[in-house]
Amino acid sequence: MKSNYQNKISSPFSPNPIFLSKTDIHGHLIELTKKFIILLFLCCFSLFNNQLEAQEPHKSGAKGSNPIVPIDPGQTLPESMWEVPLKVTRHPKGKEQVSLNDFRDKKLIILDFWATWCSPCVAMIPKNEALKKKYEKDLEIIMITDQAEDIVKPFLGRVEQQDKLQHIWTLYGKHDFHQIFKYRTMPHAAIIYDGVYKGAVYGNEITEEKIEMMLNDKWDQIVFKKPELTPKNKYDKDKFLYIDGNGGGREFITYRSVLGGYNPSLGNGSGYVANTEGGGKRMAFLNFSLANIFQYAYSEGRIEFNPMNRKLLEVKDRLKLTTSAAGDEALAWMQSGNVFCYELVVPKPLKNKFFEIMRDDLTRIFPQYQASIEYRDVECYVLKVTDRSKLEKHRSLSGTMEVKQDVYGLSMKHAPLDQMVARFSVLFMQNSPYPIINGSEYNEPINMELHTNVTNMEETNKALAKYGLHFFKELKNIEMLVIKDNQDETGQ
């Protein structure tokens, strides 16, 4: 039985702005909302929320060419690598391409692999620019992304305006450096000292103190990333997990629905939704925490339960369900048996019972926990209308709905406030301790340009004043996912 994947569950910020279906909101609002819920869930439902931004290695060059061999720490860069032409955008001298040879006079070269959707990467830009200026004689930090020029060029313009910077430039496009300096997570900074590749570090190692150490050839206190392991098992999303060796074999399977433990070949927390050829339903979670698997089963995929602020973990050992760790610490937590690969496939007659079957699986496999959706009194941020006359000025009378967002703001055309609140809930403020709720009681579509620090509620409220809107902190009785220890199983 074959299936075609329809949606993918991935990282908190999608690589490109989300464009929703061009549907008349008055005629098809219900259908559009369904499509948006699926799309936004798939863009945001990730295990670690900016902690493990997974980036798979890029394929090598043209068909028939020699495979690209990643460079190892301690290797001297070959002469051919210095001469590779690299496409550049927004270069202060107007250049369209450069090579590493242009920076050969620098003692220390740092290749900063980044992406517009990687919030920690973007946060490093002002800091790195300051370091380049201070150590301009001996240091060059080269930003490098695999995204297209039409995405990164305007984005860096907004970075300059937001952070009052000048002459930010980057290498762009797909080229061999993404495989030579192999990486799976970002931020990823490759360190080249006196022509020798020393290794790669996370962004928090790029500080003034650590740069001083590097420039003085002192490496004992530099924390390098652990070498990337080449996946032994590949995963094909168009085949069933673990069948015929897809993503691994029987050694990973513990329950035939299918359930397995941590599998290093399957990334750092992603999932896929599909319909089977026969009209059934299929879903796969790869290296997911139990909290997130329970969430999907009991909320039946509702995106408002994605953030941790809609989950109450009334258990003694929270680390069995989730973690706030990042980097190598988060990876070690995953490897310690705290995440699972789970796939459920049901035929068409059982499609309407999909979530019920999933909950039954969880009850059988993890009897130590009890989960339910319960109403609880919880302090929330509630969106309310403070000046209806101001809001009415931005009411949209016609058009097609379009919503875009990035780390600097939100743009909405002919869209209801539910669209804005959903993005604040599961994207911008997913780490807030307070759930984000729409209490505006305003259902008309509006046009909105919200360019501010959307991760800060105070700054957001200042920007919303123009629209007669404000987020108030209030106690609300709302649905929460509650996970408890099963007293009968724990014997307590």
Side-chain angles (χ1 to χ4, degrees):
M1 180 169 56
K2 296 181 180 178
S3 66
N4 295 317
Y5 274 94
Q6 298 175 328
N7 300 301
K8 181 177 181 180
I9 304 165
S10 59
S11 58
F13 284 91
S14 57
N16 299 302
I18 294 176
F19 293 87
L20 298 178
S21 305
K22 294 184 176 180
T23 307
D24 190 292
I25 189 170
H26 294 292
H28 306 284
L29 182 56
I30 294 176
E31 181 63 24
L32 185 57
T33 302
K34 290 179 180 178
K35 291 180 180 179
F36 167 70
I37 288 173
I38 294 173
L39 178 59
L40 192 55
F41 171 75
L42 302 175
C43 290
C44 308
F45 194 43
S46 180
L47 177 59
F48 293 118
N49 164 35
N50 292 339
Q51 299 167 346
L52 285 173
E53 289 290 338
Q55 174 74 30
E56 293 297 328
H58 298 271
K59 294 181 179 179
S60 57
K63 186 176 181 180
S65 61
N66 293 327
I68 298 169
V69 179
I71 192 169
D72 293 323
Q75 282 188 263
T76 299
L77 269 64
E79 282 300 316
S80 59
M81 194 179 298
W82 292 95
E83 299 295 340
V84 173
L86 303 164
K87 292 184 292 185
V88 62
T89 187
R90 305 186 86 257
H91 194 279
K93 295 182 179 179
K95 293 183 178 181
E96 294 184 354
Q97 71 177 36
V98 296
S99 69
L100 286 185
N101 207 42
D102 296 333
F103 313 99
R104 203 159 187 168
D105 60 326
K106 304 293 185 180
K107 181 183 292 187
L108 181 64
I109 298 173
I110 298 177
L111 300 181
D112 175 23
F113 291 87
W114 74 289
T116 59
W117 48 265
C118 173
S119 298
C121 303
V122 176
M124 288 175 58
I125 294 176
K127 178 184 69 173
N128 287 353
E129 289 297 308
L131 290 171
K132 285 172 63 173
K133 187 174 181 180
K134 179 168 184 176
Y135 300 100
E136 59 181 347
K137 179 182 177 182
D138 297 311
L139 170 68
E140 185 61 50
I141 300 177
I142 302 173
M143 295 173 61
I144 178 169
T145 179
D146 66 353
Q147 292 177 283
E149 184 179 26
D150 61 354
I151 295 175
V152 297
K153 187 174 182 179
F155 182 86
L156 289 180
R158 295 198 297 273
V159 173
E160 284 190 351
Q161 184 178 11
Q162 178 81 14
D163 295 307
K164 297 179 174 58
L165 301 172
Q166 292 182 331
H167 308 307
I168 303 176
W169 56 276
T170 184
L171 307 182
Y172 71 91
K174 298 187 183 297
H175 47 75
D176 294 346
F177 274 26
H178 293 283
Q179 276 201 279
I180 293 171
F181 300 96
K182 190 175 180 181
Y183 60 92
R184 289 177 63 85
T185 61
M186 290 190 290
H188 182 84
I191 310 299
I192 301 170
Y193 177 81
D194 277 354
V196 177
Y197 175 57
K198 304 297 289 188
V201 299
Y202 290 107
N204 57 10
E205 286 295 294
I206 308 301
T207 64
E208 184 174 332
E209 179 184 11
K210 295 298 179 74
I211 292 296
E212 289 276 0
M213 293 179 185
M214 294 179 194
L215 289 173
N216 288 288
D217 202 15
K218 297 179 180 179
W219 306 95
D220 56 321
Q221 294 186 45
I222 305 300
V223 180
F224 288 98
K225 282 186 172 184
K226 295 179 180 178
E228 299 284 358
L229 298 176
T230 301
K232 295 180 180 180
N233 304 297
K234 293 184 178 180
Y235 180 73
D236 183 346
K237 61 183 177 60
D238 293 321
K239 298 178 181 178
F240 289 144
L241 179 67
Y242 297 143
I243 300 299
D244 297 328
N246 183 36
R250 293 181 60 184
E251 68 272 20
F252 293 109
I253 297 174
T254 57
Y255 179 79
R256 192 62 182 176
S257 280
V258 177
L259 179 84
Y262 172 69
N263 185 341
S265 298
L266 301 182
N268 298 320
S270 61
Y272 299 90
V273 181
N275 288 325
T276 66
E277 192 176 68
K281 188 169 184 177
R282 172 189 174 203
M283 183 165 294
F285 297 97
L286 311 178
N287 292 330
F288 258 54
S289 70
L290 274 183
N292 283 340
I293 297 177
F294 271 101
Q295 170 208 313
Y296 197 82
Y298 282 85
S299 72
E300 300 193 350
R302 292 160 58 189
I303 63 168
E304 60 263 38
F305 288 90
N306 287 6
M308 279 302 299
N309 57 38
R310 294 299 293 268
K311 304 178 183 73
L312 293 177
L313 306 184
E314 298 177 347
V315 297
K316 285 191 174 182
D317 190 354
R318 290 174 57 92
L319 282 177
K320 291 294 183 181
L321 295 171
T322 189
T323 182
S324 59
D328 288 340
E329 185 179 349
L331 183 60
W333 178 82
M334 295 172 70
Q335 293 171 335
S336 297
N338 294 310
V339 295
F340 299 88
C341 296
Y342 171 77
E343 182 174 72
L344 177 62
V345 181
V346 301
K348 186 176 180 179
L350 295 177
K351 188 174 181 178
N352 292 335
K353 294 186 176 182
F354 183 88
F355 293 106
E356 180 183 340
I357 294 170
M358 187 176 178
R359 292 191 290 267
D360 287 343
D361 269 355
L362 293 176
T363 300
R364 284 192 297 269
I365 306 166
F366 304 104
Q368 66 270 37
Y369 298 115
Q370 293 178 330
S372 61
I373 299 293
E374 301 178 13
Y375 277 92
R376 295 288 186 92
D377 290 331
V378 179
E379 200 165 23
C380 305
Y381 280 127
V382 183
L383 181 71
K384 293 191 173 183
V385 178
T386 56
D387 190 331
R388 192 178 181 89
S389 62
K390 286 184 178 181
L391 185 57
E392 284 292 333
K393 292 178 182 179
H394 301 278
R395 180 179 174 183
S396 176
L397 300 178
S398 63
T400 55
M401 187 168 80
E402 184 178 282
V403 184
K404 304 177 186 178
Q405 75 281 317
D406 59 28
V407 295
Y408 291 113
L410 173 72
S411 173
M412 299 200 316
K413 295 179 181 178
H414 198 68
L417 289 174
D418 278 342
Q419 298 282 333
M420 182 196 81
V421 172
R423 282 164 170 80
F424 271 90
S425 175
V426 301
L427 285 175
F428 306 136
M429 293 188 179
Q430 58 185 296
N431 293 325
S432 167
Y434 310 110
I436 311 296
I437 304 296
N438 185 5
S440 67
E441 298 182 354
Y442 188 88
N443 300 317
E444 301 299 326
I446 67 168
N447 298 321
M448 175 181 285
E449 295 292 332
L450 202 65
H451 300 298
T452 187
N453 182 359
V454 288
T455 64
N456 181 282
M457 186 56 78
E458 184 177 353
E459 295 298 318
T460 295
N461 276 331
K462 289 180 182 178
L464 286 174
K466 171 183 175 182
Y467 300 92
L469 296 168
H470 192 92
F471 279 106
F472 293 92
K473 191 182 292 185
E474 293 183 1
L475 192 67
K476 300 286 288 185
N477 188 251
I478 63 171
E479 288 182 302
M480 299 287 290
L481 171 68
V482 182
I483 303 177
K484 305 176 182 179
D485 287 322
N486 187 344
Q487 303 300 323
D488 291 338
E489 292 293 328
T490 59
Q492 298 174 351

